[in-house]
Amino acid sequence: MESWQLRFDTLEALRLSSKGRLSYCSHWQEDEAALEGCVAPVELSPYCGWVLDSLSGQLEREISPSSTPKQSTPLPKLASAEKIPPGSHRSSSPPSSTEPSETKENDHLSLQEVNQEVVPAVLSSKVAKVEGCIRMYEEMHRLKAKERLRQRQEEQEQMVRAAYAQASEQLKRFDELRELKRHQEFQELQEVMEKSSKEAQGQQEKLKEEHRHRAKILNLKLREAEQQRQRQEELERLRKEEGQERLRRLYSIQEELLQLNQQIDPNYRHKDLPRIDLSAYSNRGNQICGLVSGLIRTTSEKGFPTQADVASTERALQEMRGLISSMQQEITAALEEKKRKDEEEKKQKQKELEKKEQMNSQTPAPAQQSGEKQQKEGLKVKTEESIMQWYQQLQDAAEQCVAAFSEIGNCKGNTEVKKIKTNLQKAATIPVSQISSISGSKLREVFDKINNLLSGKPVQTEGQTVSVTQHPQGLEFVCYKLAEKFVRHGEGEVSFHHDSAFPIAVVLSGIWELHPRVGDIFLAHLHKKCPYSVPFYPAWKEGTSMEEYQRMLGYEVHDSKVEEQDHFLKRMSGMIRLYAAIIQLRWPYGNKAHPHGLSYGWRWLAQMLNLEPLADVTAMLLLDFLEVCGNALMKQYGIQFWKTMFFIQKSYIPRIEAVTSSGQMGCLSRLKNFVQKCLRAEEIPLPKGILTPSFWRT
C-alpha cells in the first residue's frame, strides 16, 4: 500500500510538473503574444497527449493485478484533455484509456499494492522521457512562436508601409486638392480684381470727365475773376492816378498859396505907405494857408484827396487871389492918394518958398512930425526879433558843438576812436534811460553818474571804465548826445507816460545848473524838433521843398511820407510837457539859481498868445503847458496870470475856433473845459506826478 502511494505521489508530481511547464510555456507565449499583439493560445501536440495517455494506462495496468480491496481511496486519473485548450483535437492513441465500471474498484485496490521497488524505476525512466518530450515541445513551440512573431512583424511592417503609402497618396491628393482650391480662389480673386479694376477704370473715366467739366467751369470762372481783377486793378490804377493827380494839384495849389501869401508884406505895411495897415490881409492869408495845409494832411492820412477837396482848395486859391487883388487895389488907391497928397504938399511948399523969398528971411525947414503909435488890429504871425535872435544863437551853439567833435563823429576807419565813441555814447545815454520815479535815492544815483561823466571822472558802463578825458573831443560829444537823449526821452517816454516828465526834468535841471553847455544844446535840440517851444512858426521860403518844410514844422518825413497827425501831436505834447516841467523844477541839492526858470515860461505863454493860432496844434500846446506849469505860474504871477486866463477864455479860444474844423475840436474842447473849470474854482490844480518833498526821502 505504501508502494502504491509512493507511485501515485510520483505520478501526481510528474503531472503537476508537466502542468507547470505547460503553464510556464503558455504564460511565456501569452507574454510574447501580448508584446507583439498577435500570439495564439498555447496548444499541446497530439504526440505529447498520446505520451501522457500511454503512461497513465501503463501505470494502471501494472497496478491492477496486485491491488487489494482494502484501499478505498481512488487513484486520480490523468487526463491530458484537461490541459489542452478548447478547440484543439487529439489524434487517437493505440491503447484505450476507458475501463468498465465494474473493474474500477479493483483497479484502485491493485494500485495500492504496487510494489515499491518497481514503481521508482519505472517512474524515473518515464519522467525522463516526458521531460525530454516536454523540452523538445518547448523548443519546437519557441521556434514556432518566433517564426509566427517574425511573420507578424513582417505583416505589421507591410501594413505600416501600406498605411504610409496610403497616407502619402492621401496627402498628395490633399495637397493637389488644396492647390486646386487655392488656384480656383486665385482665379476668382483675379477675376474679382479685374472686374473691380474695370469698374474703377470706368469710375475714373467718369471722374475724369467730371473733372474736365469742372475744370472748364473753373477756368471760365478764373478767367472771369482774372478779368474782374484786371478791371479792378485798372480802376484802382485810374483811381490812384486821379488821386495822385489831385494830390499834385493840391500841392501845386498850396505852393501857389504860399507864394501869394509871401506877397503880403510880413511887416503889414507897404514901404511907401507907412500909414496903411495890411494885417487883415496877412491874417486872412495865414488862415487860408493853415486851412489848406490841414486839409492836405487829413487827405494824406486817409489816402488820396477827393474832387471836393480839390474844389475846396481851388476856392481857397481863388479867395487868396481875390485877397491879393483887393490888397493890390487898396495899395494902388493908397498910392494914388499919397501921390495926390504929395503933389499938393509940393505945391504948398513951393508957395511957401515963394512967400519966404519975398520976405527975405530964411527959416529952418519944418520938422517932420513924429508918427503916432499905430493900434494893431489882429495878431502877429512872426515871433519877436529878440526871441528869434536867441533861437538862432542856440542853433549856432549846437552847430559849433557838432563841429567841435568832428573827429570823434567821423571815425569809421579808426577802431580805437570808434570804441571810445561807443563807450562814451553808452555812458551818456544809458543813465537817462534809467531815470524813473521809483525813489529819490535812485534818481540821485543817476544824477551822480551823469555829473561825474561831465566832470571828467571815470564811470563804469557795462563793465568798462569810461571817461571824457580819453579823447580831446569827448566832452563836447557827451554834451551833445546827452542833450539829444533828453529830447528823445521827452518825445518818446513823456508822450506816452506824462508823469515821467518830472523826474527827467529835475535831473536835467540839476545838470543844467552845473553844466550850462548841456542846457543850451538841449534847448537847440528841443527848438529844432518842436519849433512851437520857442514859440516859432517857420515860414515857407521860395525854393524849399514840401518835405523840407514839413520837417521845419516838426513833422517826421520818411520816404516822402509824412507822419500821421495824431503821432505828431503826441510827440509835440511830450516835448512841451517836458519843457513846462523843467522851468518850474530845481535840483533839490543844488545851490544855484534856476538857469531857465518860470520867467521863460511866462514869456513863452505871452508870446504864444500874441501869435495867430494854428488848428489842432495851438489848443493842444496851451492845454499841456497849463496843466503842467499853470499852478507854478499862478503862484508866481498872481493876478496877472488870471488876467491871462480870462483873455484866453474870452479872446483867444474864439480865434482858435475860427481856424479849427469840426473834426479837430477834441483838443479845443478840453482846453475850453480846463480854463472854465480853473476860472470857476479860481485855482489851478497841481499836475499829476509832481515830485513832493517826501519823494526825496525814499
Side-chain angles (χ1 to χ4, degrees):
M1 189 65 183
E2 294 177 359
S3 174
W4 169 252
Q5 187 68 34
L6 178 61
R7 289 182 181 181
F8 180 79
D9 292 338
T10 303
L11 184 58
E12 186 66 19
L14 180 60
R15 189 179 64 82
L16 293 174
S17 175
S18 175
K19 184 179 178 180
R21 291 178 183 270
L22 289 174
S23 178
Y24 171 78
C25 182
S26 176
H27 286 304
W28 179 80
Q29 290 174 356
E30 288 176 358
D31 292 337
E32 290 292 327
L35 291 173
E36 297 296 332
C38 58
V39 179
V42 180
E43 296 180 355
L44 293 177
S45 66
Y47 176 75
C48 184
W50 177 80
V51 171
L52 292 175
D53 292 339
S54 299
L55 182 57
S56 176
Q58 186 178 358
L59 289 174
E60 291 178 355
R61 283 192 302 269
E62 290 178 355
I63 295 171
S64 61
S66 57
S67 60
T68 60
K70 298 180 181 179
Q71 182 67 33
S72 61
T73 305
L75 179 66
K77 190 175 183 180
L78 294 176
S80 61
E82 296 177 359
K83 301 299 178 179
I84 299 174
S88 62
H89 59 277
R90 186 187 300 170
S91 61
S92 60
S93 55
S96 176
S97 59
T98 306
E99 295 295 332
S101 58
E102 64 271 8
T103 60
K104 287 181 181 180
E105 185 177 355
N106 295 328
D107 290 337
H108 289 296
L109 294 175
S110 61
L111 286 173
Q112 293 177 0
E113 297 176 354
V114 176
N115 194 352
Q116 296 179 356
E117 294 179 0
V118 177
V119 172
V122 174
L123 288 175
S124 61
S125 61
K126 295 294 183 180
V127 167
K129 289 179 181 180
V130 170
E131 288 179 355
C133 290
I134 290 172
R135 289 191 182 111
M136 182 180 64
Y137 174 76
E138 290 176 352
E139 183 66 21
M140 289 174 63
H141 188 72
R142 185 181 64 77
L143 293 174
K144 190 175 181 179
K146 187 175 181 181
E147 181 64 23
R148 287 181 180 178
L149 180 62
R150 184 184 61 78
Q151 291 177 359
R152 184 60 61 88
Q153 288 177 348
E154 289 179 357
E155 290 176 0
Q156 291 293 330
E157 290 177 358
Q158 290 177 0
M159 290 175 64
V160 169
R161 284 193 295 270
Y164 176 77
Q166 186 178 1
S168 298
E169 290 296 327
Q170 290 180 354
L171 182 62
K172 288 180 181 179
R173 301 290 84 77
F174 177 75
D175 291 340
E176 291 174 357
L177 182 61
R178 186 177 62 179
E179 182 68 22
L180 179 60
K181 288 183 178 180
R182 188 184 65 79
H183 184 69
Q184 290 176 352
E185 291 176 355
F186 177 75
Q187 290 292 337
E188 292 176 357
L189 181 61
Q190 190 173 8
E191 291 176 359
V192 170
M193 290 178 64
E194 289 177 356
K195 185 177 179 181
S196 301
S197 177
K198 290 179 180 179
E199 292 178 356
Q201 288 179 356
Q203 188 69 19
Q204 189 175 8
E205 290 295 330
K206 199 177 291 182
L207 291 174
K208 285 182 179 179
E209 184 65 26
E210 292 179 0
H211 177 70
R212 284 192 291 270
H213 180 67
R214 291 180 181 178
K216 289 180 180 178
I217 296 175
L218 289 176
N219 288 333
L220 291 175
K221 290 183 178 180
L222 286 174
R223 281 196 293 271
E224 292 177 358
E226 181 66 19
Q227 292 174 359
Q228 183 69 18
R229 186 186 62 82
Q230 290 177 356
R231 287 195 295 270
Q232 291 292 339
E233 289 181 353
E234 183 67 20
L235 291 175
E236 184 67 19
R237 185 182 62 80
L238 293 175
R239 188 184 68 82
K240 286 183 179 180
E241 289 180 356
E242 292 176 357
Q244 290 175 355
E245 182 64 28
R246 287 194 291 268
L247 187 61
R248 285 193 292 270
R249 176 61 179 161
L250 288 182
Y251 282 136
S252 63
I253 291 173
Q254 185 184 25
E255 186 175 359
E256 187 175 353
L257 282 173
L258 293 172
Q259 291 175 354
L260 292 174
N261 191 38
Q262 278 193 334
Q263 295 179 12
I264 303 175
D265 193 357
N267 295 321
Y268 313 124
R269 302 181 187 282
H270 196 275
K271 59 183 179 180
D272 296 328
L273 302 171
R275 293 181 180 274
I276 191 171
D277 189 359
L278 304 177
S279 59
Y281 296 103
S282 179
N283 292 338
R284 185 53 188 164
N286 290 331
Q287 289 178 359
I288 292 173
C289 291
L291 289 174
V292 172
S293 298
L295 180 62
I296 291 176
R297 282 196 300 270
T298 304
T299 55
S300 298
E301 292 172 1
K302 294 180 180 179
F304 293 106
T306 61
Q307 190 63 35
D309 298 330
V310 177
S312 299
T313 54
E314 288 178 349
R315 286 195 297 271
L317 179 60
Q318 293 298 329
E319 184 179 356
M320 178 65 80
R321 288 173 178 171
L323 190 66
I324 295 296
S325 177
S326 299
M327 185 189 69
Q328 290 177 350
Q329 290 176 3
E330 185 176 351
I331 291 173
T332 302
L335 288 174
E336 290 177 354
E337 180 68 20
K338 182 178 181 297
K339 184 178 180 181
R340 185 181 61 79
K341 289 181 179 181
D342 289 343
E343 289 178 354
E344 290 178 356
E345 288 178 359
K346 187 177 180 181
K347 291 178 180 180
Q348 185 68 25
K349 287 180 181 180
Q350 287 178 355
K351 290 179 181 180
E352 289 177 358
L353 288 174
E354 290 175 358
K355 188 177 180 180
K356 288 178 182 179
E357 288 177 357
Q358 291 175 1
M359 294 175 63
N360 294 322
S361 62
Q362 295 181 355
T363 57
Q368 186 178 4
Q369 297 180 354
S370 60
E372 298 178 356
K373 287 188 176 180
Q374 303 172 3
Q375 299 295 330
K376 297 182 179 180
E377 297 180 2
L379 300 177
K380 300 179 181 179
V381 293
K382 289 190 66 176
T383 308
E384 292 182 1
E385 189 65 26
S386 59
I387 296 178
M388 292 306 300
Q389 290 178 359
W390 172 65
Y391 163 79
Q392 192 60 45
Q393 289 174 1
L394 293 174
Q395 297 301 320
D396 293 341
E399 293 178 359
Q400 291 174 4
C401 182
V402 173
F405 63 85
S406 59
E407 180 182 348
I408 197 173
N410 301 320
C411 57
K412 295 182 179 180
N414 195 331
T415 307
E416 186 66 25
V417 176
K418 187 176 181 180
K419 182 178 179 181
I420 294 173
K421 173 187 175 182
T422 303
N423 293 335
L424 288 174
Q425 185 169 352
K426 289 180 180 179
T429 57
I430 290 177
V432 178
S433 302
Q434 295 172 348
I435 296 176
S436 66
S437 57
I438 296 175
S439 65
S441 59
K442 294 290 185 181
L443 208 59
R444 188 167 184 177
E445 289 179 5
V446 173
F447 174 83
D448 291 339
K449 286 182 181 179
I450 300 174
N451 183 37
N452 291 337
L453 179 65
L454 294 172
S455 300
K457 298 178 182 179
V459 295
Q460 292 292 326
T461 301
E462 295 184 351
Q464 295 184 358
T465 302
V466 183
S467 175
V468 294
T469 58
Q470 292 177 344
H471 195 277
Q473 300 177 355
L475 181 59
E476 294 291 333
F477 178 75
V478 168
C479 289
Y480 188 86
K481 290 298 179 182
L482 184 62
E484 184 181 46
K485 180 64 176 178
F486 273 114
V487 175
R488 287 183 179 176
H489 225 49
E491 69 175 336
E493 181 68 19
V494 179
S495 63
F496 288 98
H497 304 94
H498 295 167
D499 298 351
S500 62
F502 298 100
I504 298 173
V506 74
V507 172
L508 179 56
S509 178
I511 296 297
W512 202 334
E513 289 181 13
L514 300 177
H515 308 279
R517 179 75 165 164
V518 176
D520 293 342
I521 300 174
F522 166 78
L523 286 177
H525 278 294
L526 182 67
H527 293 167
K528 190 171 183 180
K529 281 190 170 287
C530 179
Y532 313 105
S533 61
V534 177
F536 166 51
Y537 297 162
W540 185 82
K541 297 179 181 180
E542 189 175 358
T544 304
S545 64
M546 287 305 301
E547 292 183 6
E548 186 63 29
Y549 182 60
Q550 295 287 351
R551 290 191 180 95
M552 291 170 61
L553 292 175
Y555 288 91
E556 289 184 347
V557 182
H558 300 288
D559 298 331
S560 300
K561 187 175 181 181
V562 183
E563 68 174 327
E564 296 181 357
Q565 184 72 4
D566 292 342
H567 188 264
F568 165 75
L569 293 176
K570 185 171 288 188
R571 288 194 307 107
M572 299 299 109
S573 172
M575 287 184 280
I576 286 297
R577 282 181 172 272
L578 178 60
Y579 180 70
I582 290 171
I583 62 178
Q584 65 174 313
L585 292 177
R586 286 187 65 253
W587 181 246
Y589 304 101
N591 52 9
K592 296 182 181 180
H594 198 301
H596 199 80
L598 282 172
S599 60
Y600 287 89
W602 183 253
R603 185 182 73 173
W604 182 89
L605 181 60
Q607 185 64 32
M608 193 73 182
L609 297 176
N610 283 329
L611 293 176
E612 279 290 334
L614 296 178
D616 224 7
V617 177
T618 303
M620 181 269 297
L621 295 176
L622 285 175
L623 177 62
D624 290 331
F625 186 84
L626 291 174
E627 282 183 349
V628 177
C629 195
N631 184 269
L633 291 174
M634 177 193 69
K635 294 177 181 178
Q636 179 74 17
Y637 294 97
I639 190 64
Q640 295 296 326
F641 175 78
W642 289 114
K643 289 181 179 179
T644 304
M645 291 290 288
F646 187 76
F647 171 78
I648 292 173
Q649 183 187 33
K650 295 299 182 181
S651 300
Y652 202 70
I653 288 179
R655 287 182 177 272
I656 300 175
E657 289 178 342
V659 297
T660 304
S661 62
S662 59
Q664 299 173 331
M665 287 292 182
C667 290
L668 180 59
S669 299
R670 290 195 295 271
L671 174 63
K672 187 185 298 186
N673 293 334
F674 178 80
V675 173
Q676 290 176 356
K677 183 178 179 181
C678 293
L679 289 173
R680 191 181 305 115
E682 296 183 358
E683 182 70 24
I684 305 294
L686 282 171
K688 184 181 178 181
I690 189 71
L691 301 180
T692 60
S694 60
F695 170 78
W696 299 103
R697 294 192 292 271
T698 59

